[in-house]
Amino acid sequence: MTFIRVETYSGYRADQRPTQFRAGDQVYKVREVEDQWYSPGAAYFKVLADDGNRYILRHEAEQDRWTLEAFRAGSRGS
């Protein structure tokens, strides 16, 4: 688990979906939110970033804390 900074789109509710995130010195723009699901106390987002890789981002709304939970390298041509 890695803590990250996330910018979000807020529509009908705050932090509705991530639009970009920073891990270390690198900033990643979210091309697409491929999936999202909820657990008690957290929301998860599977995103395709502008580097062609997929990431699982976790948001704990009560603490307003975002973490990078998983990473999967994209296949060539993604």
Side-chain angles (χ1 to χ4, degrees):
M1 166 175 55
T2 302
F3 293 103
I4 57 175
R5 300 186 98 174
V6 178
E7 290 187 28
T8 61
Y9 167 79
S10 295
Y12 66 92
R13 65 179 167 81
D15 299 324
Q16 190 170 333
R17 63 178 160 78
T19 57
Q20 73 177 26
F21 61 98
R22 176 184 293 272
D25 292 332
Q26 186 66 39
V27 175
Y28 302 92
K29 292 193 182 297
V30 174
R31 273 198 224 159
E32 179 181 352
V33 175
E34 296 183 326
D35 197 7
Q36 74 181 72
W37 61 96
Y38 301 92
S39 71
Y44 293 83
F45 300 87
K46 179 181 178 185
V47 300
L48 173 62
D50 61 350
D51 65 350
N53 297 317
R54 287 174 172 81
Y55 301 85
I56 304 291
L57 309 180
R58 180 176 191 251
H59 182 232
E60 296 176 33
E62 200 167 296
Q63 293 85 14
D64 194 24
R65 179 172 38 201
W66 286 87
T67 55
L68 174 61
E69 297 294 314
F71 161 82
R72 179 175 228 160
S75 60
R76 292 186 172 236
S78 290

